Structure formats: structure tokens, C-alpha cells
Amino acid sequence: MSKYWFKRLISVLVSTAFIPVSAANIAEISVSECKAMATAGVMSAAAPVQCDRLRQVQFDYIDFQGQPHNNGSIIVMDAVAPYIATIFERLYTLKFPINKAKPIRYYQGDDDLSMADNNTSAFNYRPIAGKRSLSIHAYGLAIDINPKQNPFVEFGEQGSANFKPEDGAKYANRMQFRYGKDQRQGFAEDVISTFADNGFLYWGGFWNTPIDYQHFQVSRNMANLMAAMSADNAAQFFAHYVQWYRTCKTSYPAAYSEHKVSDYTHYLENKLNSESLHKTFKLSPASVITAMQKALPLQTATMCIKK
């Protein structure tokens, strides 16, 4: 970890008192690594987050044969890097298997190749599959985990299903335990709470179509907001976001069990009478930062539970 990143992390820690402590290694993206990303088509001058706002999180993991590895690597936005490190440390503790994890530049930015190799990855400057709008991966704020066990499923007009990767069709049945069958591991359903507890509330398995079982992300509103903020403000915002969620989860476990816990973004929007926190930030950054820097209120059911 560089001295710059360590000092900034300590500064945010003091101001928020909620950054997790992690033994995983968090490093800046070097000039040579950034050039390699651009050459591979993973990075572009048009990307909403440039290399100076990205971090490489290196971590240990256990594979599907129960063997430990120390070469897990994933690239994410700087503000969420400590939480991503905590997620993968928790997965290691849980013995949740990961097939492999390396930056998608090793696949020339080709998401299909990465999925076919059952690779866990994050940052990739690309649009949403089949659309023009940017994927949340382009912000370093989305993670795809074990694509084979957690496939992307797209439905045709006549109800036909297309699985990516193709081997993922074997996992269309999401039951982990089945009579007469071996137990299946590596399902994203088993770690929804681990991701949510660290700020990644939005899971592609909640979607109707397509269904993206491998995919965890923040909201697009958040992604745009954090990309527009300074690194320090984005880190503080995300720390408050996580603290808000965890407090609501503890106070209202029934709402949590039904995935009805609201988030900190909605609280700030209500406080500022805003329809979009990102749009309000574009018009008046100071108003959002001032509201964000105030101590978190004691959350009530009205604040915590989605209507």
C-alpha cells in the first residue's frame, strides 16, 4: 500500500470511524498497469473513473477443490476498496470457493471470455450488454463472482433462455441441496448479506430480465455521484452509506430479511428535497457535502424501511 493511500485512508477513518480494517493489500494502479489496461481496451480517456481513482485489491481465496491461493486480484473504485477487501476476506473465512480472480485486461476486456473462464472481476470500461449506456463496471462499482455457477440469463420473446457462459445452464436450478445430488458451492445467494453489509446492496439475481446471478453493484445514481466527488468525499459518503445500512439492518431485522432496508442515498435526497442526489450534486456540490458531513441521525422505521 502506498504512503499516499495509507495517509488518506487514516484521514477518512478518523472522520468516519467506520472504515473496516483489512489484511488484504490495496494498491494504486501504476502507470504501466494503466497503459496495459488502455491497450487491452479496458480503460479509456472517456471512462467516468480514471486510473488515479482505481485501486487493485489483492486477496487470498479458496478454490472449488478446497485449495488456498494468494493471487486473487480485483480492480475497483478507491472509495470502496477497503470494503471489497473485507468482502473477500469474509469469503475466505466462510470457505466460499472462488474459481479465479484476475483483472479483465487479461481477457482484453472481453466479458464473454472472462465469464467462460469462470473469472471473478470488477472494473471494465464497457456498456451494459446489448445496450449503449455504461455498465456500473465502468465505475469500478460492480463485481461479477463465479460466472459459471452464477450465470447471466437473458430471455427471448418466446421465453427461450440464453445463458452466459453456456456452462452456466447447468446451474439454472438454484437449489444448493438436492436429493440424490451433490451439494453445490459458489452460489451468490450464499453471500448476499456479505456484499450488502459492505455497501453492495444491489444483486442481479433480484432482477426480472435479464437475471444476472453473478453481479453485485451500487445504484447508478450512487456511481455517478461518487465518480463526480473527490476521492475523500466519495470515501466518506460510502462509509456513511455502509453505516446507515448496518444500523437499519440491526434495528429492523424483519425488513432486512425481506430486502426492504432503504439506503443512505434516499435519506439525503429526502433531506435535500432532491429527486436525484447526483443531479443535485452537479448543481450544488456544497449542499450535498454539507448534508453528508453531518452526524448520522438515529434511524427510525420511516427512514430505514422502503415503502
Side-chain angles (χ1 to χ4, degrees), residues 59-67 69 72-74 87-89 91-92 95-102 118-121 144-147 149 185-186 195:
F59 55 90
D60 297 341
Y61 66 95
I62 295 173
D63 66 21
F64 282 85
Q65 288 72 48
Q67 297 301 309
H69 298 264
S73 180
I74 198 166
I87 286 172
F88 282 100
E89 286 188 339
L91 299 189
Y92 187 87
K95 293 183 170 53
F96 179 88
I98 295 173
N99 184 61
K100 65 176 60 176
K102 56 185 181 180
N118 204 12
N119 180 57
T120 293
S121 65
D144 289 341
I145 189 165
N146 290 342
Q149 288 74 24
Q185 298 179 310
F195 278 87

Side-chain angles (χ1 to χ4, degrees), residues 135-175:
S135 166
I136 306 301
H137 285 287
Y139 298 81
L141 292 170
I143 299 169
D144 289 341
I145 189 165
N146 290 342
K148 179 180 177 180
Q149 288 74 24
N150 304 289
F152 175 91
V153 188
E154 200 166 25
F155 298 97
E157 292 182 1
Q158 304 302 317
S160 60
N162 179 41
F163 288 80
K164 291 185 179 181
E166 290 184 0
D167 278 356
K170 299 174 183 177
Y171 298 89
N173 184 321
R174 304 305 295 173
M175 296 294 292

Side-chain angles (χ1 to χ4, degrees), residues 30-44:
S30 68
V31 173
S32 60
E33 288 170 331
C34 190
K35 288 181 179 178
M37 290 167 65
T39 299
V42 174
M43 173 55 77
S44 165

